[in-house]
Amino acid sequence: MSAAGGRDVHTAAVFVAAVVVTGGNAVAIRYSNRELDPLFGAAARFAVAALVFAAVAAAGRRAWPRGRALAGALLYGLLNFGLAYGFIYEALREVHAGLAQIVLASVPLATLLIAAGAGVEAFSWRRFAGTLVAVAGIAVVSGAGTTAFSASSLLGIACMAAAAVSIGAGAVVVKVFPPVPGAPLNAVGMAVGAVALAVASPLAGERWRVPVRGETFAAFGFLVVSTLILFAAFLYVLRRWSASATSYQFLFVPIPAVIVSSLLDSEALTPALFLGGLLVLAGSYLGLRAGRSGARRAGRTAEGHLPGDAAARTDAPGR
């Protein structure tokens, strides 16, 4: 029990550190987008990160995925890096980082609903009610029905919502397919995402160019380093907690994101941002609580074992 408690403390510490770093990511993307076209910027970021993870995997002599595990890694890369970050980079051309991260706080609900559809976690009406509350919060932060509402903000928010679904699906893929060590999984996944984004970039009419501004280099460097930290941390936590528990990070990220965005990117702290953010967080929390309650009830009918967190811990690399 002492060893298990120590592992939980370490996992929680990694979780908190990832939340803080993630809070600055969206602001850095907005700085990058001012000189680099979004899909090209995202492709370059993940191409560099994939090479680093590949080197780490080779140095550690980690086994590369094959068969069904490789299929899972490829699908994870397409969903979590190709689709999700294509949407995120495009969205951050239109909306500020704090608002974007509030919309992305709906990831836990997307994860729960997709996990329920895949049979990984149970569906509940409380979870559905939480979804409705979160959607209402997104409508509030978007300014729907007010003069603050615009076509560009609608596009940005729709892209962030699509990214939330893609990230949720990627998390479920990691749980459903055979486990792969973190470095090879991220190397394969980010390579797939980089290729998908690089193919989409010219199709979207983007130009590929080397940045010249110092702030662009700083933002890009921060994004590459944070990518290495965050996705290693994400998989570390996901291997030890359930998919829905891991997605709790998205409930906390808006806090550092709004603070950093207001300080560095002149994001206005409006009542709508505050109220809508509370609704999104409340809806996501309601859905997560419903998911955890369902896991406990299912566990009591299965010889006292919880199917969520306990099952997730058996998926750790090198099991």
Side-chain angles (χ1 to χ4, degrees):
M1 290 297 293
S2 177
R7 286 194 297 270
D8 281 344
V9 169
H10 292 156
T11 304
V14 171
F15 178 91
V16 171
V19 167
V20 174
V21 175
T22 304
N25 259 11
V27 176
I29 291 173
R30 279 182 58 83
Y31 273 87
S32 173
N33 280 349
R34 288 168 186 166
E35 186 174 6
L36 301 179
D37 285 335
L39 298 181
F40 167 65
R45 168 189 176 184
F46 290 121
V48 173
L51 291 174
V52 175
F53 273 117
V56 171
R61 298 189 177 183
R62 291 288 192 174
W64 291 92
R66 296 182 179 181
R68 191 164 177 266
L70 177 59
L74 295 173
L75 184 56
Y76 165 71
L78 181 62
L79 290 168
N80 207 66
F81 301 109
L83 284 176
Y85 279 86
F87 286 128
I88 288 171
Y89 270 71
E90 187 63 38
L92 287 166
R93 299 176 71 177
E94 309 294 343
V95 297
H96 277 92
L99 191 156
Q101 290 291 2
I102 286 173
V103 177
L104 207 60
S106 61
V107 163
L109 285 175
T111 304
L112 287 166
L113 294 174
I114 295 170
V120 176
E121 299 185 24
F123 176 83
S124 80
W125 287 106
R126 280 186 62 186
R127 185 176 298 165
F128 181 73
T131 303
L132 296 181
V133 173
V135 169
I138 292 173
V140 171
V141 296
S142 70
T146 70
T147 56
F149 185 77
S150 67
S152 62
S153 66
L154 175 61
L155 174 63
I157 289 168
C159 285
M160 291 305 297
V165 174
S166 295
I167 292 171
V172 174
V173 163
V174 172
K175 304 303 294 184
V176 171
F177 281 81
V180 179
L185 179 59
N186 274 320
V188 172
M190 290 182 185
V192 170
V195 169
L197 290 162
V199 170
S201 175
L203 295 177
E206 292 187 352
R207 292 183 300 164
W208 293 18
R209 53 179 174 238
V210 177
V212 296
R213 299 177 186 170
E215 64 182 25
T216 306
F217 277 106
F220 186 82
F222 174 82
L223 287 169
V224 170
V225 173
S226 68
T227 297
L228 301 176
I229 295 171
L230 292 177
F231 288 101
F234 175 76
L235 290 175
Y236 179 89
V237 175
L238 188 60
R239 295 301 190 192
R240 290 155 179 81
W241 292 356
S242 69
S244 57
T246 303
S247 66
Y248 260 110
Q249 66 176 294
F250 292 96
L251 299 184
F252 300 107
V253 167
I255 297 171
V258 167
I259 294 172
V260 174
S261 183
S262 65
L263 292 174
L264 299 182
D265 200 29
S266 303
E267 181 167 9
L269 303 179
T270 64
L273 189 69
F274 179 74
L275 176 59
L278 286 179
L279 287 173
V280 172
L281 299 183
S284 298
Y285 180 75
L286 177 62
L288 282 168
R289 292 296 298 174
R292 291 170 69 87
S293 298
R296 291 191 187 98
R297 287 195 298 271
R300 284 194 290 268
T301 63
E303 299 179 351
H305 294 290
L306 294 182
D309 293 47
R313 290 190 180 94
T314 64
D315 287 339
R319 177 182 53 171

